[in-house]
Amino acid sequence: MFFLRPDVELRPGETGPELTRHGSGVSHALSVEEALALTLLGHYGDVDVATRYLNACFENRDGASLIDFIKARWSTYLGEGTARPLDLAWLDTSKKSESRHSGPRSREAAPESISWLVTLTCNRRCPYCYYKVLPWNGDTASNPADASFPIRDVLRVVEEMASVGTANLYLTGGEPLLRPDLLQIAAHAVSLGIKVHINTRFAIDRALAHAISQAGVKDITFSLDSGDAVEANALSGHPGFFSEALSAIRALLSAHIDVRVNAVITSVNVQHISRLLDLCVTLGVRRVTLSPYVEPVMTRRAPAALVRTGPALGEIVADLKSHYGSHLNVAVGSAEAFQSSARVDCADRLLCEVGIRSLDILPDGRVTRCRYAPGDEDLIVGDLKKETLMQIWTGNALDRLTFPKRSAFGATACSTCSAHERCNTRGRCVLGARLNYGQLLAPDAGCTR
């Protein structure tokens, strides 16, 4: 059932309907469509019934898609409960509510998602990796040396995430599964309605796959760069990786875990993408993301020889989609946005969502404006061992790097650019600015001017 939880309230706000949890201090602005869908779920608790009513109310809006969005975005506010009266008091302010589904959204009242760089320790040596990874000593009984975010604080933050409406927790690394208590953390998050996603290259056997499933994790991104053993081993830096990867994917699928394969496309494997996709179809994988290894960010920290030439990856994927049809969902990774041929006007899409929709956490519990530069102290905006999630989200340190004032850009072109506010809205790539201009506040990797 998908009732509103007992401590959740849907109410009229100053600018439209709002969703809040008692005691959280956070109120989320909703569109009329969202508010009506949540009202129907709060009364009926039944997805099918709510969908039928939504289809009757909105001619140009698919009720099933809207309900899927609601279940994904507001998962921590839905669950067991009791039927509520059909209270439409929020309609008094609905004319003031702008749809959240037409164009870029404004800053969220609390982060939709959290990406936690669990550790920089890794048992692989991928040549394209832009992290300075720490060697793995084979000890699986204790946390990696840099994974010093204490579990008591992690669990506290997870509980705050659920309280303020954060829907997704992404666990990445390094190799996140090197942290022994990771599944305990994941299970706690899932029990509170948070969806947990793990990015891994770990040698997962059937026992571990079963434990992952038991923890409630249903979404794993497994990194495999090629359907050819020699290429895959070379791009992982481990001679036995390909066979380990196939075993791991089979184990995860047998545990009824949805596996997405992610491949970083370089000059090494770009000619053999179809071989990887054929392998995924054979294994039973239904989702593949192809992430380009591109300038300007990546090539500064890894071999430039891995940068491929030729058409944008989006063009290649368009041809592949027509071939694989419904057998495989092939997508292009977000790094494609950094290719000049893929750039669009800065107001049309969200380039970086950190500080707008999401937060990035480092292995020691500090929060950074960009997890891709974990050693940059200038990017640190808070410490979750000492502060709450919302203290950091609403704090000045994050605000200065997410919505910087024009005066903070000194003599750079941004100080006089007419698109200054639009760049704040679409999210600034502070790492791209640092790598290109030596400072965080400067024209970034997505600048079209």
Side-chain angles (χ1 to χ4, degrees):
M1 303 299 287
F2 290 92
F3 288 105
L4 290 175
R5 292 179 184 262
D7 59 348
V8 172
E9 181 183 1
L10 182 62
R11 67 189 185 190
E14 292 184 1
T15 60
E18 294 180 348
L19 184 65
T20 187
R21 172 176 270 116
H22 299 160
S24 72
V26 175
S27 296
H28 299 276
L30 301 176
S31 69
V32 171
E33 295 96 327
E34 287 175 290
L36 183 57
L38 285 164
T39 299
L40 291 170
L41 287 175
H43 180 66
Y44 295 106
D46 188 292
V47 167
D48 292 335
V49 174
T51 298
R52 288 199 299 272
Y53 278 109
L54 289 170
N55 284 332
C57 291
F58 301 111
E59 292 183 2
N60 300 318
R61 181 80 170 145
D62 177 47
S65 297
L66 178 57
I67 289 293
D68 286 344
F69 170 81
I70 292 295
K71 288 164 56 182
R73 175 61 188 96
W74 305 115
S75 57
T76 65
Y77 288 162
L78 299 170
E80 295 298 323
T82 57
R84 301 185 180 193
L86 276 173
D87 184 359
L88 300 177
W90 52 264
L91 279 172
D92 293 337
T93 57
S94 64
K95 292 182 180 179
K96 303 176 184 178
S97 176
E98 296 181 2
S99 174
R100 291 158 50 101
H101 308 291
S102 56
R105 290 192 284 176
S106 59
R107 189 172 193 251
E108 297 289 338
E112 283 188 24
S113 64
I114 300 289
S115 292
W116 177 22
L117 189 65
V118 175
T119 178
L120 284 172
T121 301
C122 192
N123 56 334
R124 312 298 185 191
R125 292 295 179 269
C126 308
Y128 53 71
C129 185
Y130 39 84
Y131 288 133
K132 183 182 287 186
V133 296
L134 306 172
W136 182 50
N137 61 12
D139 177 18
T140 59
S142 59
N143 282 345
D146 67 329
S148 57
F149 194 14
I151 188 168
R152 65 178 182 278
D153 290 321
V154 177
L155 297 180
R156 169 181 57 80
V157 172
V158 165
E159 289 168 2
E160 187 183 0
M161 286 173 57
S163 175
V164 301
T166 303
N168 295 282
L169 175 58
Y170 293 89
L171 306 175
T172 185
E175 178 46 68
L177 285 169
L178 292 177
R179 177 160 176 151
D181 58 8
L182 191 76
L183 295 186
Q184 177 187 349
I185 296 167
H188 189 57
V190 170
S191 72
L192 297 171
I194 298 169
K195 295 177 292 298
V196 176
H197 315 264
I198 298 177
N199 296 340
T200 183
R201 280 183 182 264
F202 205 61
I204 298 171
D205 58 19
R206 287 185 176 272
L208 179 54
H210 178 73
I212 293 171
S213 180
Q214 288 296 106
V217 178
K218 301 302 180 186
D219 184 51
I220 294 277
T221 296
F222 197 95
S223 295
L224 174 63
D225 299 317
S226 177
D228 176 81
V230 174
E231 286 182 358
N233 291 342
L235 290 170
S236 70
H238 182 72
F241 172 73
F242 185 70
S243 60
E244 290 179 357
L246 298 190
S247 295
I249 292 171
R250 290 187 180 107
L252 290 167
L253 291 171
S254 69
H256 307 291
I257 295 172
D258 189 13
V259 177
R260 177 192 294 273
V261 165
N262 181 74
V264 176
I265 303 303
T266 68
S267 60
V268 174
N269 59 353
V270 66
Q271 300 298 326
H272 307 128
I273 296 175
S274 60
R275 190 177 300 176
L276 173 64
L277 302 186
D278 289 340
L279 174 63
C280 288
V281 171
T282 301
L283 290 171
V285 172
R286 292 292 175 259
R287 299 186 299 157
V288 177
T289 298
L290 305 177
S291 299
Y293 176 80
V294 298
E295 294 183 294
V297 176
M298 307 307 184
T299 56
R300 304 300 177 89
R301 298 190 176 188
L306 291 176
V307 179
R308 61 184 177 80
T309 58
L313 193 56
E315 298 174 25
I316 298 173
V317 168
D319 292 336
L320 292 170
K321 284 183 175 180
S322 64
H323 176 72
Y324 288 93
S326 61
H327 297 291
L328 204 59
N329 183 335
V330 185
V332 179
S334 59
E336 177 83 344
F338 291 110
Q339 286 188 300
S340 59
S341 61
R343 292 176 185 170
V344 295
D345 186 79
C346 59
D348 290 345
R349 57 169 168 73
L350 194 59
L351 178 68
C352 177
E353 60 181 26
V354 179
I356 298 175
R357 295 184 189 173
S358 66
L359 275 183
D360 286 353
I361 304 175
L362 296 179
D364 60 1
R366 292 185 299 165
V367 176
T368 177
R369 181 58 174 73
C370 181
R371 69 183 181 276
Y372 298 115
D376 195 330
E377 294 293 323
D378 292 339
L379 290 170
I380 302 301
V381 295
D383 189 340
L384 286 166
K385 297 191 297 295
K386 304 173 183 177
E387 304 166 86
T388 68
L389 185 68
M390 289 306 298
Q391 284 173 336
I392 295 172
W393 184 252
T394 59
N396 291 332
L398 180 61
D399 194 62
R400 279 195 300 270
L401 289 178
T402 307
F403 305 102
K405 296 179 180 178
R406 189 184 295 273
S407 59
F409 287 84
T412 70
C414 295
S415 64
T416 58
C417 181
S418 62
H420 175 83
E421 290 304 322
R422 293 206 300 274
C423 285
N424 280 354
T425 300
R426 57 87 159 147
R428 295 180 178 274
C429 178
V430 291
L431 177 57
R434 170 79 92 190
L435 292 175
N436 284 313
Y437 294 93
Q439 62 188 71
L440 297 175
L441 300 180
D444 64 22
C447 180
T448 60
R449 301 196 174 197

